[in-house]
Amino acid sequence: MFRLQSSKVLAVDMTGDAVKAKNGSMVAYDGEMAFKKLSGGGEGLRGMVTRRLTGEQMTLMEVKGHGTCFFADRASEINLVGLQGDKLYVESSNLLATDGGLRTGTTFTGMRGASQGNGLFTTTVEGHGQAALLSDGPAVLLRVSPQYPLTVDPGAYVAHQGNLRQSFQSGVTFRTLVGEGGGEAFQIRFEGDGLVYVQPSERNTIAGDV
């Protein structure tokens, strides 16, 4: 159902089924399609209220029809992730589209969300199907094992999945070393067994100024 037309354009072939995508990300389609804006970014009233409370902006639309719909967002790279009943944690700004059958919601992430100014919650996607993630440059998939924990700069973090624990630690970032940071910087530490998606270009955050 999901395929890459190019590294920056997602093609979704539909035969009457539906897909959820970032609002405004449709760039073209053939066949017959219907579009509906979805309130909030999570499932039902709880997801909508949670996002209003945290200030995290994630507006989705539902696309349903017969044909092929093409999605893109600001020429960002697109990465396909297959879910087999597991859960994916992803920054809302990095989520382009999901199968209509996948459930989206929110989960508490603590200080990392606050340091990025995206609220204290991050987006969850779970079920069986595919999701398309956005990244500034081709995303890199890094393995975390019990023997090898991973530390990530908040600005480079895109998503993670698996049995991972997050913690937050103070430290220096590249921006701090070159004099662009102010105050204490924070990093995300992952321990356990799973995968972490990072992008090769840091988004603008205030993590270095917290």
Side-chain angles (χ1 to χ4, degrees):
M1 184 174 170
F2 281 23
R3 57 185 173 85
L4 293 180
Q5 187 73 13
S6 74
S7 65
K8 299 180 180 180
V9 178
L10 172 69
V12 182
D13 301 313
M14 287 182 277
T15 56
D17 39 1
V19 62
K20 289 182 286 189
K22 177 179 283 191
N23 196 43
S25 62
M26 188 277 295
V27 294
Y29 69 88
D30 59 39
E32 298 294 329
M33 299 288 169
F35 300 86
K36 180 175 70 174
K37 185 177 179 181
L38 301 176
S39 298
E43 301 291 352
L45 182 62
R46 180 183 177 190
M48 183 168 62
V49 171
T50 297
R51 294 195 183 280
R52 286 180 177 174
L53 288 175
T54 62
E56 186 177 19
Q57 299 298 316
M58 179 187 172
T59 306
L60 295 176
M61 61 180 178
E62 182 184 73
V63 185
K64 188 175 184 179
H66 295 264
T68 302
C69 198
F70 301 90
F71 301 93
D73 186 68
R74 301 179 183 180
S76 298
E77 296 284 335
I78 299 173
N79 314 270
L80 298 183
V81 179
L83 298 178
Q84 303 295 328
D86 49 331
K87 182 181 291 188
L88 175 72
Y89 299 82
V90 57
E91 290 295 329
S92 61
S93 60
N94 292 99
L95 182 61
L96 176 63
T98 71
D99 281 348
L102 289 175
R103 300 180 301 279
T104 56
T106 56
T107 189
F108 182 74
T109 58
M111 191 177 296
R112 178 176 58 79
S115 70
Q116 292 188 28
N118 288 343
L120 296 176
F121 289 76
T122 196
T123 299
T124 59
V125 181
E126 59 183 316
H128 290 81
Q130 285 183 294
L133 307 184
L134 298 166
S135 60
D136 187 0
V140 178
L141 189 57
L142 301 176
R143 164 69 65 178
V144 181
S145 67
Q147 296 81 14
Y148 296 99
L150 181 71
T151 302
V152 177
D153 187 289
Y157 170 81
V158 173
H160 74 272
Q161 61 187 132
N163 185 22
L164 293 176
R165 300 181 305 278
Q166 293 183 69
S167 59
F168 309 95
Q169 59 187 26
S170 61
V172 296
T173 65
F174 176 74
R175 285 168 298 165
T176 305
L177 292 175
V178 297
E180 295 181 5
E184 191 173 26
F186 288 89
Q187 299 168 334
I188 316 169
R189 182 179 173 87
F190 292 96
E191 296 177 277
D193 187 13
L195 300 171
V196 178
Y197 298 79
V198 297
Q199 59 187 9
S201 175
E202 292 182 324
R203 69 175 68 82
N204 292 324
T205 73
I206 58 171
D209 299 326
V210 174

